[in-house]
Amino acid sequence: MTSLQDSDPIIRDYMIKHSLPQIYKALLAGLCISCPEDPLHFIEEKILSILEDHDFEICWHTFIDKDKQISSLAGGIVYDIFGNPEDSLCLSDLLEKAYSCYRTSLTKTCFTGWKSYISKKKLKAARLLERMEDAKKYRKQRRIKLAFIKWTAWVQFRKQRQNDAVRKLQKVQESVHCRNIITAWRHVVQDAKRAKEYFKRLERDIQESQNSERPQGDGQDKLSLLPNKLSLKIFQCLGVRELLKCAQVCRSWKAIAQISSLWTEIDFSPEASWITDQTVERLLRVHRVYVISVNLCGCTLVQESSFRRISKFTLISLKNSYFFDVIKNMIRIACVFFFFVKGQCRNLQELDLSECPHLNDENMKMILEGCHSFLHLNLAFTHITNASIRVLSRCCLTLRSLSLAYCTSFSDKGLQYLITGKGCQRLTYLDLSGCSQISVNGFTYVAEACSSLQQIVLDDLHTLTDICVQVLMSKCRVLTVISLLDSPYISDVAFKTMADVISLTKIQIEGNNRMTDSSLKALCRSSLKLSEVQMSDCTRITDASLKSLGSLTKLCNLNISGCIKVTDMGIHYITEGASAVELRELDLSYCPKLTDLSLKRITQKCSKLSHLSVCFCENLTDNGFECLDNCASLISLDITGCKIHDKGLAALGTNHSLRKLTATECVFITDNGIKMFCRQCQRLELLDVCQCVCLSDRAIKALSFFCRTIATVRIAGCPKMTDTAVKYLTRVGHFLRELDVSGCPLLTDRTPSFLLCSCPQLRSISMLYCKNISKQVALKLQHRVQHWKHSNDSLD
């Protein structure tokens, strides 16, 4: 069959209308592929099937069986015979289609050109408008600049005139001030000359007494033969009680004991058990001109008269003062001038009244109204109320440090006074530990009044929440040190607020189960100068936190005791970080997952480590402790509760830099281990082997023989110790200052006798649960030491 393009249009339309080309193709393709035996019967059968189904779709392969494959060659033959269906289109249709395509393309080209022209025209107009706006803005700024230049010149001229006027007024004021100072100075010089003549006469008398031909034991001592500077250095090592006793020995000792430089800082706290109002009042009355610091911490016998004496530092006669010492010190001279001009002495800068049970609001009012130069004030554990804080806000204009720890009698209203008054505005240190009565409003008042705080302590505050911390951080933007010990309700919200606002150098956290690794990561990212970090008993802290800490460059003190999820990998991050070389103190107590590998890494990387604590790290063995002999900078080591044996203890002894060893509850240590340790570590100063039940007198014998400079020995809970052990210690009693023999039932009354005879430097003794030491004999030691404990109860 030839192509239909050149045929008669009527015939072509008829054939296309009745799909005759498709029927012919389908029948011919079926015959060619199927090859039936009776072709006519095949054609008749297929035509009938088309007639029966009018919706039958006809293609050239319709009558080909599905199981028979037809090659592309057969399809090509069919197309060659019948031609392509597209070829059946009329030439006029093709021309019409081509013309339509050309017209569409031409229209599209014209529209695109017109669109491009309009866009360029709009862009040009926009640029012109923008340039006009820039020109107007430039002209306006230039006019403002010219006006500002003229205004600046006028302001400088006015300031110059003001400065000239101020200089003239200052010159007049200085001349008046100098006249007053010179007048006061003349009076001071006259009294100083009289005092100097008095001391010259006293020294002349002393020299005459020294040159007299009396025997050495007849009232003359070697201390009087020393130069005054050396004698003064010796007396500076004495406390208040010793100075008062020395003043009663002779005239020369009294003259030395009354030198003003010995009484600038008076510390009554070591003598709290006997110091009384009369003693405090007498000392302050005599030496009040020179006193800068007074410490009355824990002085339970001190009452209102002493507080009144602190508040009333009035003028005294110069005939009994030693102003030639004051004249040698230029700072004191300025204070004396102020003393003369105002009629009062305001030199007191530091006052510690913590744990004074008789302190009340009336006493505080007298003290604060009489002394306006306080820099440091400690009122911890007192019963002050809102009235005292109100006086603080009014009078203490120069206060820098304030402690209200565990003062539970004031409320938020007292803190509100800090906003209204001018005092306490320059505080840089504030301690509110244990003040659980403070609410969010109280912290709001603190933040508004003390925005210059640099250090804040919020320990033991179980009511402290994230909102309280956020309120503080909103105003206190210069905080560098914060302590949150035992504050369990602080979460990541508070710590992330800190990280967003402040940059810390020291942070202390303890007993917090809500803090996670994300908090510490944020803090390390914002506080690159962190040097001290304490995260004890924070159970959710993992190795990820230590990885963040390892990136710090100035970390020197790290405490992660009680962080039970920390493993050797966390220590690896620390030792491989930038802070490993700077680390000085490291506390890994109660971290049960640490092994000997951690100790090995610490020894290799932490070259400046001086203090290490691994208490109750159960997986540490002797192999790990043997690595510590290479840590040349290690001074103090705490291995309480570790499973160390004599072998590991002997290896620790090879570290000659070790000065302090705490081995409490190390039950596997024996006398041989102590002997091998002390033989090599002969410069030991502290040994704590409490609850080491295997130790006996032989261990103390080795300690006293090899370690001649031992100063602190604790053998509490060692049931095998006898009086012989204490007798061995008396061999080094010249340096022994602290001894704990509690829970040693074999000790008798001979122990206190040994200590009385051979331990002149002993300052602390604990003899609890020593049933064979009588109360009468133990009391003989009480007046010789500062800290004394005794009981003859049985541990049973």
Side-chain angles (χ1 to χ4, degrees), residues 499-568:
D500 294 337
V501 176
I502 60 178
S503 178
L504 296 174
T505 59
K506 179 180 178 181
I507 184 170
Q508 293 182 332
I509 308 165
E510 180 180 336
N512 192 314
N513 296 326
R514 298 188 176 188
M515 179 183 181
T516 63
D517 296 329
S518 59
S519 297
L520 200 60
K521 184 177 180 181
L523 287 172
C524 292
R525 186 170 56 249
S526 63
S527 304
L528 300 179
K529 295 183 180 180
L530 265 176
S531 59
E532 297 186 29
V533 177
Q534 178 179 346
M535 301 181 299
S536 53
D537 296 327
C538 297
T539 55
R540 299 182 68 180
I541 296 299
T542 65
D543 295 338
S545 295
L546 299 188
K547 186 176 183 181
S548 302
L549 289 172
S551 62
L552 300 175
T553 58
K554 297 186 178 182
L555 185 65
C556 61
N557 189 343
L558 177 60
N559 184 346
I560 55 172
S561 59
C563 297
I564 57 177
K565 294 184 179 180
V566 173
T567 65
D568 292 334

Side-chain angles (χ1 to χ4, degrees), residues 7-38:
S7 62
D8 188 6
I10 298 175
I11 298 174
R12 184 174 64 248
D13 294 337
Y14 177 81
M15 295 181 70
I16 292 173
K17 180 180 178 180
H18 294 283
S19 302
L20 294 181
Q22 287 84 355
I23 295 173
Y24 295 156
K25 290 179 184 179
L27 291 175
L28 184 58
L31 289 173
C32 293
I33 299 304
S34 300
C35 298
E37 294 181 356
D38 190 357

Side-chain angles (χ1 to χ4, degrees), residues 780-793:
K780 296 179 180 179
L781 276 173
Q782 188 174 14
H783 71 281
R784 287 276 305 273
V785 297
Q786 296 176 357
H787 304 282
W788 176 89
K789 293 180 181 179
H790 170 261
S791 69
N792 49 14
D793 300 332

Side-chain angles (χ1 to χ4, degrees), residues 26 46 49-59 62-63:
K46 297 301 180 183
S49 63
I50 293 173
L51 293 175
E52 292 175 358
D53 188 0
H54 297 285
D55 296 330
F56 191 77
E57 184 178 359
I58 300 173
C59 297
T62 301
F63 301 131

Side-chain angles (χ1 to χ4, degrees), residues 327-385:
I327 295 171
K328 293 178 182 178
N329 191 325
M330 297 305 297
I331 298 176
R332 301 264 178 85
I333 291 176
C335 295
V336 172
F337 289 160
F338 192 74
F339 177 89
F340 275 93
V341 173
K342 295 296 184 180
Q344 291 183 350
C345 178
R346 301 174 184 269
N347 297 341
L348 190 62
Q349 298 177 1
E350 299 183 15
L351 181 60
D352 189 344
L353 299 175
S354 58
E355 302 181 35
C356 290
H358 300 290
L359 182 67
N360 54 37
D361 293 332
E362 290 297 328
N363 298 333
M364 280 304 305
K365 184 177 180 180
M366 289 189 298
I367 293 172
L368 296 176
E369 290 180 350
C371 305
H372 297 281
S373 301
F374 280 131
L375 295 179
H376 306 279
L377 184 60
N378 189 348
L379 303 175
F381 295 96
T382 57
H383 301 292
I384 62 168
T385 64

Side-chain angles (χ1 to χ4, degrees), residues 48 201 216 228 266 274 313 345 461 472-473 577 620 733 751:
L48 290 175
R201 188 167 57 253
Q216 178 66 26
N228 290 336
I266 305 179
W274 68 271
F313 281 177
C345 178
L461 286 179
L472 275 175
M473 296 303 109
L620 299 182
T751 290

Side-chain angles (χ1 to χ4, degrees), residues 421-435:
K422 295 182 180 180
C424 302
Q425 299 293 324
R426 300 180 181 179
L427 277 179
T428 59
Y429 174 88
L430 180 62
D431 189 351
L432 296 174
S433 301
C435 300

